[in-house]
Structures are given as structure tokens and as C-alpha cells.
Amino acid sequence: MSVTSAGADSRPSRWRAGVGRLVGGTALLTAVALLPWLSGTDPALTVLRARSADADPTPAQLTVVREQLGLDEGPFTHLAQWLGGLPRGDAGTSWVSGEPVLPQVTTAFAVSLTLMLGALVVTIAVAALVCARTLHLGSRRQLRQGRAGTMAAVLAALPKFLLASLLATVCGVWLGWFPSSGWAGPMAMVLPALALGVPSGAVIGSLVDQSLPAAFQEPWARTWHAYGFSPGHIARHALRRTLAGVLPQLLPSVVALVGGAVAVEKIFNIPGLGRLALDAAIAQDLPPLQTATLVLVLLGVAAGLLIQAVRRALLGPALRDGALPALHPPSLPRPRSLPWVIGFCTVTLLTLVVAGLLRDPLQVDTAARLLPPSAAHPLGTDSLGRDLLARLGHGALRTAGVALAVTVVSVALGLLLGMATQVGAGLTEVVSTLPAVLAGLLTTAVTGPSVWGAALAVCVVAWSPYAAQTAALLEQERVSGHMLASISFGAGPRYLVRHHYVPAVLPPVLRNALLRLPTTVLVLASLGFLGLGEQPPTPEWGRLLSENQPYVELAPWTVLGPACALVLLSVLAVSGSATGRGRSRSRTGAARRAAKKTYLPEPAGRADAPAVAAAAELPPA
């Protein structure tokens, strides 16, 4: 097998990826079209209540609505009529307002796209701050110690809607620096972009920070440093080498904000596409819901193709010629503070949980509403006078258990679909921009509102970041030198999966999953808050945050306890994963020698350094 053919064979078939996009988009639009009929409620009743809020409509009124909307014709007739009007620029009219759908969706999409671009700027800035230390030290060959990623874990664990409430209260109301509500100019975009971009930037920056040490250990980096290239030059190429594996995370982390920033849009009263889709789904207003879903699907596909093109441009001829080296994380010593961080988080979290389990989480005392922390109530009370410490302790096992179960299932699905790159790439692009709330409405329409129905809804969309990461890592692994060496020595598919693919993909995907664990908790909470998941009065951390979010300004302690517990859980998960970081994968002697071959010509002397730099379209090793 030649190097060129190996690189060509590793690329996903374009037509099969297109089939994945077509199948995923068709299935999603069909499911949306079936939503009113799957929900078990009369669509006419839901639409009529959305129109007039009539609590007790008469049979005659329901009959008139059915005739107006043609509900007796069935969902597939409506879907065919809606699709038939799209080539003419007609997306139908809203069942609730009677206004044309296309102008509404276009305006909302423009608002959400602008907000996403603002969040992207914040994401890049935060990611740069997270990995700045590693980039600075690594480019100077001074990286002597690994990082626990504690600060990144803290930022990633911040609930977006809670951060939005705090920013709106402090920077908008108290200080008056920026508008706290509405969408009336560039200044109105600052606070919501910060609320969305800070957690996303922490996730992206942590992934880059974890990959940079391996890039700085490649032979090209050592050679360039020995020849006196500037640290900035080496840092730029190391960043270029690393970004190729992280770029696919922009799709589920940033692009998905177009339809998934519902809570932040509500807090800041932003007329975005997420709010439009959610309101239409709740009212079972099919034309705007179908149009918004189609826009999200097209956005996901377009963004996926753009990211794929940028990745291939970053990797350059090494990917095309099948000579891309694998990134081997160096064995860096753990920070001395890491055991102390793990111990502190463990002791604090266990203390809160055990102390809460000794209290009654359901006792209501209206005379003790919104009390501040005291000896009787160490974390204060909520709006019904219930002890927050008790609710925090009793909700710990359920919160962590369901979130871990969802994470395990999502990682397994992501690994399987990410390895099926030919079809999985298209499915990933379609699902990445699907709001979890919409998935929750679709799944609970069949299963009914329950914690496991919400868990299933999150699993439907939560696998996409892991599939995107798996596909990116797998593409680079398949065209690496040691892979070609193993194949040339007669390694079969099982050997390659066990000794190459899984060791290359599994550790970074697991670290990504641990970093996203708080996000899973919050998504489950958002579904429960909408009545689609865990039902009250069951204590659950995400529900505590959602229920007490309106009281942030009046009683900030109501969200402080669950928010700190969520941060402690995130730091503990990420710090625990750092204990096993930096272990190199075992290689055969031939594979190691193949991995160490440089893609650059070996320079003969210091005078050849400019020629070496010019020859390196990609920093290879």
C-alpha cells in the first residue's frame, strides 16, 4: 500500500457523507412534522390555547381550527405541502399568528447568527487565555510540568443561564455598563456573548491545552528550536498542528448556540431563533418550527463542510500524502497542588452531601422563605422555605448518576458513529445544531415526561461532540507513519483497532466527556424546568439552579450552593483525569521508528534553516 493511496483511502467518501446528511435531515424534519400527532394532545386544542389562552374551548371552536389547518389530512400531507412551497420561497404561515413564516425565521436567524459570532470572539479569547501558559513555555522548551486544568474546569462548569443572570444584574442593572435586555445595537450583544462564550471557550481552550505538549515534543519543534527559530514562530506552527483536532468541537460548542441559546435569549429578551423554535414547538406551530429546524440543519451542514475544509488546509500535504505523524503526549510530572485540589474537592463535596442527607429536603416552611445562610440553614432556604443543603445532599446521587449514565451512553454512541466516518460525518453535522429542548419535546412526546425520557433526549444530541472529535483524531491516526508501518508488517483490522485506533481516540474523548459533565447536568435541568424531565418536588442540582434563578438578585445564596457543588464536581472530574494524562501508548520498534521519521528534509547546517522553514507547509514529525 502506497502512502498516497493510504491517505486517499482514509478520507470519507463524499457521497456517503452526503447520504448521512440527507438521512439525518429527513428523519429530523419528519419527526418534527409528527410532533403534534405524537404528543397525544389535540393539535387544535394546543394551537387554540396559544392563540387566545382559552382555558376551556368549545368543540365548535376546535372543529373550526381543524378545518382551517387541515389537521385531518395528516402530518405527511402537511410536510409535502410545506416542502413544495420552499422552492417558491414560501415557508407557509404561522398557525398561531397567521403571519408568513419566512420573514420571522430570517430575522430571528440573523439575530442568532450575530450573537453566535460574538460568542465565537469571546470563545477564542477565553481559549487563548486558557492555553497561553502552555503555548509560552512549550515554544521555549521550558514546559516541565503538566496542568490540572482546574481554572478551565471552573469556567466550563459555569451555567450559561446563571452567568447570564449575574451579568445582567451586575453589569446591566447595578453598574449600567451594558443593556440588560433587548436587542438594540452592538452594546446589547456584549453580555449575552460573554455568557455564551466563556464556558465554550473554557472547553475549547482546555482541549487545545491538552494537545499542545504533544505538538511541542515532535521532532520538527525540537529541530527548529535548536536552529534558533523564534518562539513565536514555533508557537504558531504548534497551534496550527493542534487546532486541526480541536476545530470540529466548534460545531457542537459554538455553532449550536444559534438554536441552543434559548435560556440566555429569554434572560436578555433576545428575539433569536432558539426562542422562536421553542415557542413554536410548545404551541405545536408546525410551519415556523419546521422552517427553523431546516435552517439549523443547513447551518450545521455548511459549518461542518467549512470546518472540514479548514482542517485539511491546516494539515496540508501530510494528510494528503498519508505522512501525518501522531501526537504522543509527553510524560510530564503532575502539579504538586493536584493531590491537594482533589482532596479539597472530595472532602468538601462529601461534607455537603452527607450533611444534606441528614435533613428533610421536602419540608416546606413558608415563614422561612429565602432565608440567608445561618446555623439552622447553612446554605439558606429557597422560595418555599425548604432547606437548600438538604435538597443539595439528597439530589447528589440522582444528579451524578443520571449525568454519568447519559455521558457513558453519549461517549459510546460518539465513538461508534465517529469511527463510521463515511456516514457519521453527515449525521454529526445535522445533529450538532439540534437544540436539546427540541429533542426533549420530540422524545417526551413518545415516552412522557420523566427523568429517563429527558436522559434519552440528551443522549440524542450529546453524542455529536464526541463523534466529531473521534472522526478528527481517527482521520489523523489512519495516515500516520506508524500505522503504515503496522500495516506493512501484516497487522489486521482487529490489531489496528486495539493497538492504534482506541488508544489514540479514547483518552482525549474521555477527558472531553469529563469536561462536559456539568453541561450534561444543566441540559437535564433545563428539560426538567420545562416539565419534560425530572418532576418537582424531586431535588436535583440542575433543577435547584433553574428554580432559583429568578431570585439571583434578591437572594443569591439560593443558587450559590448548587453552583459551587457543580463546580466542585467538574474540578474533581477533570483533576482526576489529569492523574492519568501523559502516558505514552506502547508501540512496536518499527512503529516507533516510523513515527519518528520527519516530514522535513534533514538540515545540513544553520544556514539551511530558512530553506527548512520554507519546505514545511505543515510542521510535521
Side-chain angles (χ1 to χ4, degrees):
M1 180 185 294
S2 66
V3 173
T4 304
S5 62
D9 293 342
S10 66
R11 301 171 185 172
S13 175
R14 293 184 179 180
W15 72 268
R16 291 186 180 179
V19 169
R21 299 183 184 100
L22 181 62
V23 170
T26 302
L28 181 57
L29 290 175
T30 303
V32 169
L34 292 172
L35 178 60
W37 286 267
L38 291 175
S39 62
T41 59
D42 187 356
L45 177 62
T46 306
V47 172
L48 188 59
R49 286 178 174 173
R51 287 178 177 178
S52 59
D54 191 346
D56 189 19
T58 64
Q61 291 175 318
L62 295 176
T63 302
V64 171
V65 172
R66 292 192 190 95
E67 292 177 353
Q68 289 177 347
L69 303 180
L71 295 177
D72 295 334
E73 298 176 0
F76 296 105
T77 301
H78 280 276
L79 180 60
Q81 293 174 352
W82 174 75
L83 291 173
L86 291 179
R88 305 189 304 270
D90 180 16
T93 58
S94 171
W95 289 359
V96 175
S97 64
E99 298 178 356
V101 167
L102 197 57
Q104 300 178 35
V105 174
T106 302
T107 302
F109 175 71
V111 171
S112 292
L113 186 63
T114 305
L115 181 58
M116 183 207 74
L117 294 176
L120 178 61
V121 173
V122 177
T123 298
I124 295 174
V126 173
L129 292 175
V130 169
C131 62
R133 171 188 172 274
T134 303
L135 201 62
H136 175 79
L137 296 179
S139 62
R140 290 162 173 79
R141 310 293 299 174
Q142 297 175 0
L143 194 60
R144 302 289 184 265
Q145 193 177 64
R147 297 186 65 186
T150 303
M151 183 54 63
V154 172
L155 296 177
L158 291 176
K160 290 183 175 68
F161 63 86
L162 180 59
L163 184 58
S165 298
L166 291 175
L167 290 173
T169 301
V170 177
C171 300
V173 178
W174 294 353
L175 301 177
W177 291 345
F178 303 100
S180 60
S181 179
W183 189 259
M187 297 297 290
M189 187 176 64
V190 175
L191 296 182
L194 286 173
L196 295 171
V198 168
S200 299
V203 173
I204 300 297
S206 180
L207 295 175
V208 175
D209 188 70
Q210 293 168 6
S211 302
L212 277 173
F216 286 124
Q217 288 297 316
E218 290 188 317
W220 68 265
R222 297 194 297 268
T223 302
W224 287 14
H225 182 268
Y227 274 99
F229 284 103
S230 66
H233 187 76
I234 298 175
R236 285 195 302 272
H237 283 276
L239 194 61
R240 176 186 177 186
R241 177 73 173 93
T242 303
L243 283 179
V246 180
L247 273 180
Q249 296 299 304
L250 290 178
L251 191 60
S253 298
V254 179
V255 178
L257 296 177
V258 172
V262 181
V264 175
E265 289 177 354
K266 283 193 171 185
I267 291 172
F268 289 101
N269 193 25
I270 298 175
L273 192 63
R275 285 186 63 188
L276 177 65
L278 177 61
D279 294 340
I282 294 176
Q284 297 188 3
D285 192 359
L286 275 189
L289 178 59
Q290 289 174 324
T291 307
T293 304
L294 178 62
V295 169
L296 292 175
V297 170
L298 295 177
L299 174 65
V301 172
L305 293 175
L306 177 61
I307 289 174
Q308 186 179 14
V310 174
R311 282 189 67 250
R312 293 184 178 276
L314 288 175
L315 293 174
L319 178 65
R320 182 183 64 244
D321 298 337
L324 187 68
L327 289 174
H328 300 275
S331 298
L332 297 175
R334 295 180 300 171
R336 294 181 179 180
S337 61
L338 184 59
W340 293 98
V341 171
I342 296 176
F344 173 78
C345 293
T346 303
V347 171
T348 305
L349 200 55
L350 286 178
T351 301
L352 290 174
V353 171
V354 172
L357 290 174
L358 301 177
R359 297 167 176 263
D360 184 4
L362 302 179
Q363 182 180 357
V364 176
D365 184 4
T366 55
R369 297 176 63 251
L370 300 177
L371 291 180
S374 62
H377 305 285
L379 295 182
T381 61
D382 64 6
S383 59
L384 297 178
R386 295 173 297 190
D387 187 79
L388 287 172
L389 179 59
R391 296 183 64 77
L392 182 70
H394 283 266
L397 183 60
R398 180 178 293 268
T399 299
V402 175
L404 284 174
V406 169
T407 301
V408 170
V409 174
S410 301
V411 169
L413 289 175
L415 288 172
L416 291 175
L417 293 174
M419 289 186 175
T421 52
Q422 294 182 342
V423 179
L427 291 175
T428 302
E429 293 168 0
V430 171
V431 175
S432 290
T433 54
L434 177 66
V437 173
L438 179 56
L441 290 170
L442 293 174
T443 55
T444 55
V446 179
T447 64
S450 66
V451 61
W452 296 113
L456 176 62
V458 178
C459 290
V460 169
V461 297
W463 59 266
S464 58
Y466 313 123
Q469 186 179 21
T470 299
L473 295 174
L474 199 62
E475 183 181 29
Q476 298 181 46
E477 184 73 9
R478 282 174 171 167
V479 295
S480 59
H482 62 268
M483 279 289 298
L484 298 178
S486 296
I487 294 174
S488 66
F489 280 109
R494 292 185 180 180
Y495 181 90
L496 295 178
V497 169
R498 181 178 177 182
H499 294 276
H500 292 284
Y501 296 155
V502 173
V505 170
L506 191 58
V509 170
L510 289 180
R511 290 194 291 267
N512 189 9
L514 291 173
L515 195 63
R516 293 181 182 273
L517 186 61
T519 304
T520 303
V521 174
L522 295 175
V523 173
L524 289 168
S526 65
L527 296 179
F529 189 68
L530 294 173
L532 304 176
E534 189 72 85
Q535 299 300 300
T538 304
E540 193 266 338
W541 291 359
R543 172 169 287 279
L544 294 182
L545 289 170
S546 299
E547 288 177 343
N548 296 307
Q549 181 266 330
Y551 307 101
V552 169
E553 184 176 0
L554 177 63
W557 57 84
T558 56
V559 298
L560 186 60
C564 290
L566 200 62
V567 168
L568 288 173
L569 180 64
S570 176
V571 172
L572 187 60
V574 173
S575 300
S577 70
T579 59
R581 192 180 305 166
R583 298 178 181 175
S584 301
R585 294 173 292 170
S586 61
R587 302 288 184 188
T588 63
R592 288 182 183 273
R593 289 191 296 271
K596 291 181 179 179
K597 290 182 179 179
T598 60
Y599 194 73
L600 297 177
E602 189 67 27
R606 180 66 180 84
D608 296 334
V612 174
E617 185 173 346
L618 169 75

